[in-house]
Amino acid sequence: MPPWYVMNPFALDGHNTDFVFKQGQVYMKVTVFGTGYVGLVTGACLAESGHEVLCMDVDTKKIEALDQGRVPIYEPGLEIIVADNRERGTLTFSSNVREAVDFADILFIAVGTPPDEDGSADLQYVLAVAEGIGREMDRPKTVINKSTVPVGTADRVRQRLRETLAERNTPLAFEVASNPEFLKEGAAVADFMKPDRIIIGTDSEEVRKQLSELYAPFNRSSDRILFMDVRAAELTKYAANAMLATKISFMNEMANLAESLGADIEQVRLGIGSDPRIGYHFIYPGIGFGGSCFPKDVQALERMAREQDQPMELIQAVDRVNQRQKQRLIERIRNHYGDTLRGKVFAVWGTAFKPRTDDMREAPSRVIMEALWQAGARIQAYDPEALEEVERLYGPRDDLRLMGTRDAALQVADALIICTEWQHFRVVDFAQLAGQLADRVIFDGRNLYDPATVARHGLRYYAIGRGDSLQHIPGEQS
């Protein structure tokens, strides 16, 4: 077999990183069930490394779009590697379960696990895939849970496979393993190509060998694979996200206290972040976390704990704080305007829950815009990537205009609201802003600017935890 050579243009340091598969290294075929955020990134990155991958989805329109080169989600670098590997023939798409099961002996389940009404993860799609595999398999398979699933899901997948095979009277061997993803939206391709860790839950030596070979291209400079038992792997994913969410909620609580005390939380952040035991990651105060992972996983973990009669009061508080923090900017807006919000026009910069994505699931911007609409205000929204999602969520309405640039959103606006910390929002002409905003006020949910600099241009600036003493405009009576 000739050596594979694949270039990865998405190294975190900005330089090209070459993956060279030497003579004799194992080439593998893989099926990924699900072409959402996790499934498509997983499939595309495995194909980029030289493996042959088929991504399967029951959504035929999505598969048709992918077959035509249209990627349904925005993720930096993803569209390029999908296109390149489609052209090379290492990445294909199908909506046929039988074809998908027959294609490979390593089968990833990467379908959605949306929150149920009680906060628990809904496993209907995971178990439906397991049933489909059991119905179509005709030789031994290794089934790997990539979706974020509650502890014990591998047992349920194993049971569903057994039952389906028994109905067919077909005694075939199979293994079920856990391999949770740790991908940050906005950096998922880089995270997959250069992972911090690769968690694999299995008690099978054969699976350890299979997945070590599968992940060899991503594990070359140092051994990043951590093998553990299946339940530990399932819990690790939830524990990691809950820890990060806890840091965010803690910092938001500190920001609210700092605001009451007249202290600047940004100075506090630098002070505590310099401690290497704490670090700077995930200690930025703001208007709460959103997206497809943290809110859902925090609630699912809390639900799991209650089911085991082990209530997690800290995790409950993390969720409560986050829900309350999403109201923080609305409170500042109402305090500033009183009962005069009706008819006001607000420019909204950023609607995605974070930069470098178009994902608006659980986004704080939604809470803010919906509250303002209820109060009779109008919105002029700009986001570099998420405007189509805004349109999909809200449709045409008289009190919403989608603007093509950040400056266009300021036209005839009374005030500016910043919900997402996109890079090109960080440097602005405050003199121009002061001239454009009728009420000369900025509500910054991401602490992008220096309060003193904003105040020198005659703008009222409300941020998160910057201290009431920093809101003073020169020449204005306290």
Side-chain angles (χ1 to χ4, degrees):
M1 176 170 51
W4 285 92
Y5 177 91
V6 181
M7 180 172 286
N8 167 24
F10 309 108
L12 292 178
D13 59 4
H15 300 291
N16 288 340
T17 299
D18 296 337
F19 288 129
V20 181
F21 292 104
K22 298 179 181 179
Q23 191 77 25
Q25 187 161 336
V26 176
Y27 151 86
M28 308 181 86
K29 296 179 74 172
V30 178
T31 291
V32 179
F33 287 88
T35 58
Y37 176 77
V38 174
L40 189 55
V41 171
T42 297
C45 290
L46 287 172
E48 178 75 354
S49 73
H51 298 303
E52 189 174 348
V53 180
L54 183 146
C55 288
M56 185 273 169
D57 203 294
V58 295
D59 187 337
T60 56
K61 290 183 178 179
K62 187 183 289 187
I63 292 299
E64 288 171 3
L66 287 165
D67 270 333
Q68 296 168 10
R70 300 197 308 273
V71 175
I73 57 174
Y74 174 74
E75 182 63 37
L78 182 59
E79 188 171 358
I80 295 172
I81 62 173
V82 168
D84 288 350
N85 285 284
R86 280 183 61 251
E87 185 176 345
R88 281 196 286 262
T90 53
L91 180 63
T92 55
F93 302 97
S94 175
S95 57
N96 186 295
V97 176
R98 177 171 294 178
E99 178 188 5
V101 174
D102 186 62
F103 180 81
D105 294 336
I106 296 179
L107 311 176
F108 280 94
I109 300 178
V111 295
T113 53
D116 220 332
E117 291 182 2
D118 61 1
S120 61
D122 185 347
L123 295 178
Q124 63 172 311
Y125 305 114
V126 171
L127 296 177
V129 172
E131 185 172 327
I133 293 170
R135 195 169 53 244
E136 301 295 345
M137 62 187 284
D138 59 5
R139 61 186 187 272
K141 303 287 183 181
T142 297
V143 179
I144 304 160
N145 281 329
K146 196 73 173 171
S147 303
T148 301
V149 293
V151 176
T153 298
D155 294 336
R156 296 184 63 181
V157 168
R158 188 178 292 109
Q159 183 62 26
R160 183 63 60 91
L161 282 164
R162 284 198 190 108
E163 291 171 352
T164 307
L165 288 169
E167 290 172 3
R168 295 172 53 203
N169 195 26
T170 308
L172 291 171
F174 63 86
E175 295 285 352
V176 177
S178 175
N179 175 218
E181 54 85 16
F182 295 93
L183 307 176
K184 299 186 296 292
E185 289 195 48
V189 172
D191 284 346
F192 199 102
M193 292 294 193
K194 299 186 70 174
D196 297 319
R197 74 283 206 200
I198 301 169
I199 302 292
I200 298 172
T202 183
D203 57 4
S204 165
E205 285 300 320
E206 179 61 27
V207 173
R208 288 170 68 108
K209 180 182 177 183
Q210 280 182 315
L211 295 189
S212 293
E213 292 170 345
L214 180 72
Y215 281 115
F218 314 98
N219 197 40
R220 298 179 68 232
S221 60
S222 62
D223 190 1
R224 297 181 175 91
I225 296 180
L226 296 174
F227 289 105
M228 57 186 69
D229 65 67
V230 173
R231 287 185 169 237
E234 291 171 334
L235 184 56
T236 295
K237 170 64 177 181
Y238 282 103
N241 279 355
M243 173 62 79
L244 298 175
T246 299
K247 292 183 73 173
I248 295 170
S249 283
F250 170 80
M251 206 61 189
N252 284 333
E253 288 271 76
M254 291 301 300
N256 298 338
L257 177 61
E259 199 166 279
S260 298
L261 295 173
D264 186 350
I265 193 61
E266 288 301 312
Q267 295 177 25
V268 176
R269 179 181 66 80
L270 294 173
I272 67 173
S274 61
D275 185 333
R277 297 171 301 173
I278 299 172
Y280 293 104
H281 293 301
F282 289 88
I283 62 169
Y284 288 86
I287 48 176
F289 54 79
S292 63
C293 293
F294 285 8
K296 173 175 69 72
D297 293 352
V298 165
Q299 292 170 13
L301 181 61
E302 195 276 326
R303 172 70 179 180
M304 273 190 284
R306 278 191 284 122
E307 289 175 347
Q308 299 299 315
D309 197 24
Q310 295 286 338
M312 301 180 75
E313 296 180 6
L314 177 59
I315 298 304
Q316 293 172 15
V318 167
D319 187 40
R320 286 197 305 271
V321 168
N322 191 57
Q323 297 303 323
R324 186 171 67 239
Q325 198 68 15
K326 291 182 180 182
Q327 301 289 336
R328 191 69 176 175
L329 220 54
I330 285 294
E331 294 170 2
R332 307 304 295 271
I333 294 168
R334 286 176 177 147
N335 288 341
H336 180 84
Y337 281 104
D339 297 327
T340 63
L341 278 172
R342 182 166 297 278
K344 289 292 182 181
V345 178
F346 290 90
V348 172
W349 283 2
T351 59
F353 86 94
K354 63 180 285 189
R356 296 168 64 85
T357 182
D358 60 355
D359 194 343
M360 287 183 61
R361 285 173 287 186
E362 301 285 340
S365 65
R366 297 176 64 175
V367 175
I368 293 167
M369 291 192 297
E370 290 165 13
L372 290 173
W373 285 327
Q374 190 172 13
R378 291 183 290 148
I379 300 295
Q380 297 184 164
Y382 167 68
D383 189 286
E385 297 297 338
L387 290 186
E388 287 187 9
E389 184 65 3
V390 177
E391 188 172 33
R392 186 190 71 81
L393 287 168
Y394 296 113
R397 48 186 303 158
D398 294 337
D399 49 10
L400 171 64
R401 294 180 66 197
L402 305 181
M403 314 304 287
T405 67
R406 69 175 198 179
D407 292 335
L410 298 172
Q411 295 171 6
V412 305
D414 295 300
L416 169 63
I417 301 172
I418 300 172
C419 294
T420 314
E421 63 274 31
W422 285 95
Q423 190 66 30
H424 69 289
F425 296 165
R426 294 182 181 274
V427 178
V428 297
D429 184 338
F430 292 114
Q432 180 181 347
L433 273 180
Q436 287 180 292
L437 297 173
D439 295 337
R440 300 164 73 91
V441 59
I442 299 173
F443 300 94
D444 182 0
R446 299 301 177 185
N447 287 0
L448 296 188
Y449 309 128
D450 172 56
T453 301
V454 179
R456 281 199 299 271
H457 290 86
L459 288 157
R460 172 68 72 178
Y461 182 59
Y462 295 101
I464 304 297
R466 305 306 299 266
D468 288 343
S469 62
L470 300 176
Q471 306 300 330
H472 180 63
I473 296 177
E476 183 180 282
Q477 293 297 312
S478 298

